[in-house]
Amino acid sequence: MLSYPFYGQDISLYKQYNGRYDFLFIGNTLNTIENNNIDGYPDPPCIILSNSSASLYLNPDDIIENAYLYWAGSGTGDFEVQLNNQEIVAERTFSMYNSFGFPFFSAFANITTFIQSTGNGNYTFSNLDLSDIISDYCPLEEILVVGLLWLFTKTKLYL
């Protein structure tokens, strides 16, 4: 039997929504392929993309209450990224270390006004630059680079 240490953080409620709300996620990874090394197969390339896109399609009756951008990666952190070439600076940051002592980070920004004014369409996440440290994470199969948009909506029909 194997035993693994688990690491956790205290969590607390950030915001509570009462009523008829819905939520959705859009996002993507900057990894080019899954980064696990399988015995007997060549190691995957140690490459990450410079940007990645996802499309947002809300119904005309949907009202965006809040929109948050989360991003995460290997390393100590890159806390200034871009969404559709708009500079986004982290309002909250989080960090942890894996069992080998390698750091990982995540970040959060409230981008409600930006999403409300932009609306439906293609969103391109970019400028998360981890290229200097990625090669350190390749042997561990722990390259993490991701951006995620999280929206809370309310439909006009229920107002």
Side-chain angles (χ1 to χ4, degrees):
M1 185 157 121
L2 297 173
S3 174
Y4 295 97
F6 288 96
Y7 303 93
Q9 297 179 359
D10 292 334
I11 60 171
S12 62
L13 181 64
Y14 180 73
K15 183 161 181 145
Q16 182 170 323
Y17 296 86
N18 295 314
R20 294 178 179 240
Y21 287 90
D22 201 356
F23 68 94
L24 67 98
F25 300 95
I26 65 167
N28 214 340
T29 180
L30 299 179
N31 292 11
T32 57
I33 62 172
E34 190 173 336
N35 62 7
N36 59 0
N37 299 338
I38 300 171
D39 290 338
Y41 290 91
D43 290 345
C46 195
I47 300 170
I48 57 173
L49 301 171
S50 61
N51 65 66
S52 187
S53 298
S55 296
L56 174 64
Y57 295 106
L58 295 173
N59 293 318
D61 288 338
D62 289 340
I63 299 168
I64 298 169
E65 292 289 320
N66 289 106
Y68 305 113
L69 180 66
Y70 286 89
W71 65 97
S74 306
T76 55
D78 184 349
F79 302 113
E80 295 180 14
V81 297
Q82 291 184 349
L83 189 63
N84 288 5
N85 296 316
Q86 171 87 26
E87 189 78 19
I88 307 291
V89 178
E91 297 172 16
R92 300 174 71 197
T93 62
F94 309 91
S95 63
M96 67 160 288
Y97 290 83
N98 70 4
S99 58
F100 298 108
F102 281 79
F104 292 85
F105 75 94
S106 61
F108 161 93
N110 184 329
I111 57 170
T112 304
T113 304
F114 174 67
I115 300 299
Q116 287 171 331
S117 63
T118 305
N120 285 339
N122 200 43
Y123 285 85
T124 300
F125 177 79
S126 62
N127 205 33
L128 177 55
D129 186 11
L130 304 179
S131 55
D132 290 343
I133 57 103
I134 287 301
S135 61
D136 297 337
Y137 288 78
C138 282
L140 301 173
E141 304 172 10
E142 294 192 0
I143 302 171
L144 171 65
V145 191
V146 66
L148 177 68
L149 177 60
W150 188 3
L151 289 97
F152 289 90
T153 62
K154 186 179 251 189
T155 303
K156 289 180 189 175
L157 299 173
Y158 297 115
L159 295 178

